[in-house]
């Protein structure tokens, strides 16, 4: 994957994720509340989060940006995982102390704009646990539509879980 550009919003700077961001991101990835609906459970060690961040920073199939307020410390991330040509899955995570400020939606909006305009995407989807009301709210506010439910699609640390699939097409996207 080509080098990712930094993306700016009114309040945030999104920069390419680096493996060393795992140290700052451990606050999110070790928090049971933040990780409740993630596909894996809370991380037990900083080394585990460093390895996970390095994997996601490596490029294909992930384009992952660190969410920062000023280009510095990673507060979370937003990712576009390439599913196939022109199609990507969006995902995001944010430290609990930054919840409720609209950061996840603001960061996702910037990444969607880049994905549709610069990466040649025609479709972006989100795979969300049905009980994850906060993430559902983010994607609905961005214009995603509920497309379906996959029963017992994930075996996670909290058991077998359904997935709700939300989709957004390029011609439906509003900046």
């Amino acid at each position: 994957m080509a080098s990712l550009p930094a993306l700016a919003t009114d309040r945030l700077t999104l920069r390419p994720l680096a493996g060393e961001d795992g140290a700052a991101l451990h606050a999110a990835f070790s928090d049971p509340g933040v990780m409740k609906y993630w596909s894996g459970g809370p991380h037990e060690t900083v080394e585990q989060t460093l390895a996970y961040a390095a994997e996601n920073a490596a490029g294909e199939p992930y384009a992952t940006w660190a969410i920062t307020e000023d280009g510095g410390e990673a507060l979370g991330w937003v990712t576009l995982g390439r599913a196939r040509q022109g199609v990507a899955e969006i995902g995001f995570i944010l430290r609990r102390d930054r919840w409720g400020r609209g950061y996840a939606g603001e960061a996702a909006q910037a990444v969607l704009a880049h994905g549709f305009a610069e990466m040649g995407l025609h479709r972006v989807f989100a795979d969300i646990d049905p009980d994850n009301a906060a993430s559902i709210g983010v994607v609905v506010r961005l214009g995603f539509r509920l497309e379906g439910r996959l029963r017992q699609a994930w075996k996670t640390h909290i058991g077998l879980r359904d997935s709700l699939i939300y989709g957004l097409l390029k011609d439906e996207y509003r900046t």
Side-chain angles (χ1 to χ4, degrees), residues 104-145:
E106 189 173 325
Q109 176 79 5
V111 167
L112 286 169
H114 178 74
F116 288 132
E118 305 299 329
M119 296 174 69
L121 298 178
H122 67 267
R123 171 181 164 71
V124 176
F125 70 94
D127 178 343
I128 303 175
D129 187 288
D131 292 332
N132 189 344
S135 290
I136 291 169
V138 169
V139 299
V140 167
R141 283 189 294 279
L142 290 169
F144 283 72
R145 296 182 189 179

Side-chain angles (χ1 to χ4, degrees), residues 1 4 16-19 25 29 38 43 48-65 77-81:
M1 177 178 291
L4 293 178
L17 182 72
L25 291 170
F29 284 100
W38 206 256
H43 293 186
Q48 184 180 6
T49 309
L50 284 164
Y52 192 54
E55 177 185 332
N56 279 271
E60 285 293 340
Y62 301 101
T64 307
W65 288 265
W77 78 34
V78 60
T79 186
L80 286 174

Side-chain angles (χ1 to χ4, degrees), residues 129-165:
D129 187 288
D131 292 332
N132 189 344
S135 290
I136 291 169
V138 169
V139 299
V140 167
R141 283 189 294 279
L142 290 169
F144 283 72
R145 296 182 189 179
L146 178 62
E147 296 179 333
R149 183 182 201 114
L150 304 175
R151 297 176 304 143
Q152 296 187 2
W154 287 96
K155 184 176 184 180
T156 76
H157 59 287
I158 60 172
L160 286 172
R161 304 298 295 172
D162 290 1
S163 286
L164 297 180
I165 304 300

